[in-house]
């Protein structure tokens, strides 16, 4: 359906007709007539100095109640709230079509200091809507930041709150993924890349943040427990079992049945080989976990 390096894909789940694909550097396409329809370029109108990862992340909100008051998922229009991360958060409440419906909702959410060989790699590695509230999202940056974004889904700017805490607890290493608690979006999780040797004073690969309202204050706790000291690339909560978390690492899939234990006990999921897990996703009906 689309050429080039495949990056992120999404399927609008209510009507099943809007199929999103993307290639490198924020080039996003959609078919509005199913899997084999004509792919239309709906890339956001990024300025020339925008910093997009080769693996530019985007997310489609897909959990909402049909015809809910926020209008994110309806029985007639489906789920059309979509966000994309460069160094900023971009959003469209019309599924990105036409491309002019995209707007930049935040300023630069990175440290803007990761320049390697003339290439500025301070960009967003991953971005996700919270599970139960399409007005809230979490952002993970390649240069060690985690940010909450509030006030999505309406016109005007959103409010970004930097919960990195100057990396006093959160390691200053690449943030590979973020996820919210299923019922309380003010509890979040970060999957951290790299190795503890790079930040010996702040070790860890899975960390939990708990915020007050609008993240006016927040607290980080290391939840790595007995995880091996290897990069963590993806993290997600089980909607059907409070406390159960899954994390994808460079050595396979791990899970804990009680993330709130001090410390949690992690087990490797033996049904998968020792391969890098780069992405985790749970379907709209909360029945199946997919690991990529």
């Amino acid at each position: 359906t689309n050429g080039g390096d495949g990056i992120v894909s999404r399927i609008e789940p209510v009507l099943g007709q809007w199929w999103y694909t993307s290639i490198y550097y924020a080039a996003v396409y959609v078919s509005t007539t199913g899997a084999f329809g004509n792919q239309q370029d709906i890339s956001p109108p990024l300025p020339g100095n925008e910093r997009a990862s080769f693996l530019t992340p985007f997310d489609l909100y897909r959990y909402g109640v049909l015809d809910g008051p926020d209008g994110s998922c309806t029985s007639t229009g489906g789920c059309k709230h979509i966000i994309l991360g460069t160094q900023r958060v971009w959003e469209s409440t019309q599924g990105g079509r036409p491309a002019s419906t995209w707007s930049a909702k935040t300023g630069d959410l990175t440290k803007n200091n990761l320049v390697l060989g003339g290439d500025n790699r301070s960009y967003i590695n991953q971005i996700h809507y919270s599970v139960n509230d399409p007005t809230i999202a979490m952002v993970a940056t390649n240069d060690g930041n985690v940010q909450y974004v509030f006030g999505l889904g309406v016109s005007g700017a959103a409010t970004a709150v930097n919960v990195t805490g100057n990396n006093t607890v959160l390691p200053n290493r690449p943030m590979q993924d973020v996820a919210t608690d299923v019922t309380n979006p003010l509890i979040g999780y970060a999957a951290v890349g790299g190795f503890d040797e790079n930040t010996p004073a702040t070790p860890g690969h899975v960390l939990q943040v708990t915020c007050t309202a609008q993240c006016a204050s927040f607290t980080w706790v290391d939840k790595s427990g007995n995880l091996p000291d290897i990069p963590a690339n993806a993290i997600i909560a089980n909607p059907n079992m409070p406390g159960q978390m899954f994390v994808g690492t460079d050595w396979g899939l791990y899970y804990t049945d009680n993330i709130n234990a001090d410390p949690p006990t992690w087990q490797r999921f033996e049904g998968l080989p020792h391969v890098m897990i780069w992405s985790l996703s749970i379907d709209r009906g909360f029945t199946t976990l997919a690991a990529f």
Side-chain angles (χ1 to χ4, degrees), residues 14-254:
V14 177
L15 304 177
Q17 293 302 296
W18 287 43
W19 287 55
Y20 293 87
T21 62
S22 66
I23 53 175
Y24 32 77
Y25 299 122
V28 184
Y29 301 81
V30 69
S31 161
T32 60
T33 54
F36 303 105
N38 179 50
Q39 288 276 320
Q40 305 167 54
D41 186 348
I42 59 163
S43 305
L46 306 182
N49 60 350
E50 198 78 4
R51 299 193 305 275
S53 167
F54 186 88
L55 305 170
T56 305
F58 69 86
D59 194 25
L60 181 73
Y61 187 75
R62 56 197 183 278
Y63 301 115
V65 176
L66 292 183
D67 301 310
D70 55 55
S72 59
C73 293
T74 70
S75 57
T76 55
C79 299
K80 296 293 177 63
H81 286 210
I82 187 171
I83 47 178
L84 176 143
T86 54
Q87 79 272 24
R88 302 184 282 176
V89 172
W90 293 75
E91 184 186 40
S92 169
T93 58
Q94 300 179 44
R97 184 176 180 267
S100 60
T101 62
W102 289 98
S103 63
K105 304 294 287 190
T106 71
D108 190 345
L109 301 187
T110 74
K111 293 183 174 72
N112 193 18
N113 65 358
L114 195 60
V115 180
L116 302 173
D119 182 17
N120 191 334
R121 300 182 187 181
S122 283
Y123 42 60
I124 293 171
N125 276 338
Q126 196 52 269
I127 183 170
H128 291 297
Y129 281 110
S130 74
V131 178
N132 67 345
D133 189 342
T135 71
I136 300 174
M138 285 188 77
V139 167
T141 79
N142 199 41
D143 54 8
N145 281 357
V146 172
Q147 301 241 15
Y148 265 89
V149 181
F150 299 96
L152 293 166
V154 296
S155 61
T159 300
V161 180
N162 191 338
V163 296
T164 308
N166 296 315
N167 296 108
T168 55
V169 178
L170 188 70
N172 192 11
R173 308 199 307 265
M175 297 296 128
Q176 298 288 72
D177 197 15
V178 282
T180 64
D181 178 82
V182 176
T183 59
N184 182 1
L186 296 179
I187 298 176
Y189 298 89
V192 185
F195 298 90
D196 289 347
E197 288 82 357
N198 295 117
T199 58
T202 52
H205 291 277
V206 172
L207 285 94
Q208 178 193 66
V209 63
T210 302
C211 284
T212 60
Q214 298 284 304
C215 288
S217 63
F218 55 88
T219 303
W220 284 99
V221 179
D222 185 0
K223 292 292 183 176
S224 304
N226 61 322
L227 280 175
D229 179 18
I230 52 176
N233 308 307
I235 191 164
I236 202 165
N238 182 353
N240 297 317
M241 184 175 175
Q244 188 178 68
M245 299 289 301
F246 293 88
V247 59
T249 76
D250 276 12
W251 193 237
L253 181 66
Y254 286 79

